[in-house]
Each structure stands twice: as C-alpha cells, then as structure tokens.
C-alpha cells in the first residue's frame, strides 16, 4: 500500500493539498494540528486513492473518506471519542452520497442524494435523507440499533488501512 500525506485530499485533482512528507505528518501526529493520509495499492498523485483519512493529533478523531473509480466521494465515516468508552473511537456519523451517473467524477454538491446517519452509543440516532428532486429533507429518528461494531480501538501511527476500509454498518430502515 502506498500513502500520500498532506493537509487534505483534493478528489478532483487526485492529490494532497499542501503535500507533506511522512516525517512532517508524523510531527503533526505528535503535536497537531490534524493531517491527511491517502492510501491505495499504487497510489501516486493523479490516481484515485482507496481512501483518505483526516487524523487529529495522536488519533483524537478520524474522518475516513472513500471514493469511486472516478474519485467521487461515496462515503464519509466520522470517529470520535465518547464518554462511555473514552479509550476507544466510536463511529458516530456515516454519510453516503449517490450521484446522477457513474460515468465521471462528481463533486459532492452535484450528488442526487445524500443520507447522513448519526449514531449514539446507546443505539439511538437520526437519519437525514436529502434528495435533490424532493421538496424537503426526510428526518427519521431511530433506536435499538446494534452499535457494537461502531467501536474501534484507538488508531496508532500507520494504522491507516483499518480506518480506511469500507465499513458501512447495518443501517436502520
């Protein structure tokens, strides 16, 4: 797996914004602020990564973004610490994008629909569904969701692939 580091990832240009060396990224891991790492088997500037992560100082939070073959964002996973298990990270938000076609790159603003799920450690949460053709968003509250797979041991330096994997959890109806 190859990794590219920077301030963030530019999905259209397929390269890090304000690139940095692994050494510079490690300094940000130690002292902050956050940094981005993108990973893919043959990743180099100009290629679509399997994922990109924005990682807070010493893993305080992780935001994982996954892409389709054209580099469009298809899912974003947000991990944060929770009071009930402060040593672990909890997948508290999943955002899924749908586009009008699969033949080219799309900016997230050009999606045809976006579904955002917010989860709490007690198995409750909300889903907001925004469909461009619909007159209003649909907001649904849910409970009783098994969130046991939402917990992850803390991220360590170089542990990027574990957080970058496709992990859309079972979603409430």
């Amino acid at each position: 797996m190859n990794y590219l580091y920077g301030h963030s990832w530019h999905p259209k240009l397929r390269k890090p914004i304000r690139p940095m060396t692994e050494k510079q990224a490690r300094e940000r891991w130690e002292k902050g602020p956050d940094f981005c790492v993108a990973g893919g088997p043959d990743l180099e500037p100009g290629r679509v990564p399997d994922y990109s992560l924005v990682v807070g100082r010493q893993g305080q939070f992780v935001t994982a973004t996954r892409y389709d073959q054209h580099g469009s964002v298809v899912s974003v996973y947000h991990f944060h610490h929770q009071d009930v298990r402060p040593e672990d990270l909890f997948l508290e938000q999943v955002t899924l994008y749908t586009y009008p076609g699969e033949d080219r790159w799309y900016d997230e603003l050009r999606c045809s629909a976006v579904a955002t799920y917010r989860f709490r450690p007690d198995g409750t949460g909300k889903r907001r569904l925004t469909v461009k053709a619909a007159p209003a968003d649909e907001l649904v509250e849910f409970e009783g969701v098994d969130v046991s797979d939402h917990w992850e041991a803390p991220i360590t330096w170089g542990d990027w692939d574990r957080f970058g994997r496709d992990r859309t959890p079972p979603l409430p109806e």
Side-chain angles (χ1 to χ4, degrees), residues 8-166:
S8 58
W9 183 259
H10 197 296
K12 185 175 184 181
L13 298 178
R14 301 177 181 163
K15 66 180 188 176
I17 296 173
R18 293 193 322 225
M20 62 181 71
T21 64
E22 183 175 338
K23 180 181 177 188
Q24 290 169 318
R26 190 178 281 273
E27 288 172 8
R28 287 188 139 191
W29 168 266
E30 294 296 330
K31 299 176 184 168
D34 54 61
F35 65 96
C36 176
V37 56
D42 301 314
L43 185 60
E44 60 184 42
R47 291 199 173 176
V48 175
D50 288 351
Y51 63 84
S52 65
L53 307 177
V54 175
V55 182
R57 184 179 61 81
Q58 296 193 3
Q60 291 173 334
F61 68 87
V62 178
T63 300
T65 303
R66 296 199 43 91
Y67 305 90
D68 68 12
Q69 70 273 19
H70 301 289
S72 301
V73 173
V74 293
S75 57
V76 182
Y77 309 116
H78 297 270
F79 296 87
H80 293 272
H81 290 282
Q82 302 289 322
D83 291 340
V84 295
R85 283 174 60 178
E87 69 282 356
D88 292 330
L89 289 166
F90 180 74
L91 175 59
E92 70 178 18
Q93 183 173 310
V94 174
T95 305
L96 305 173
Y97 294 90
T98 304
Y99 298 97
E102 298 179 4
D103 56 342
R104 66 179 184 89
W105 177 82
Y106 287 95
D107 180 277
E108 293 102 312
L109 296 175
R110 302 280 183 240
C111 71
S112 52
V114 60
T116 302
Y117 295 82
R118 293 203 44 101
F119 297 92
R120 291 183 210 94
D122 66 0
T124 63
K126 296 178 183 179
R127 181 198 73 184
R128 177 179 298 277
L129 177 61
T130 303
V131 177
K132 294 264 175 116
D137 291 358
E138 177 185 290
L139 184 62
V140 176
E141 294 191 28
F142 53 83
E143 59 185 33
V145 174
D146 179 4
V147 293
S148 57
D149 288 341
H150 286 236
W151 294 100
E152 286 287 344
I155 190 169
T156 57
W157 175 264
D159 188 20
W160 316 135
D161 296 342
R162 181 166 58 102
F163 281 85
R165 68 183 171 84
D166 185 10

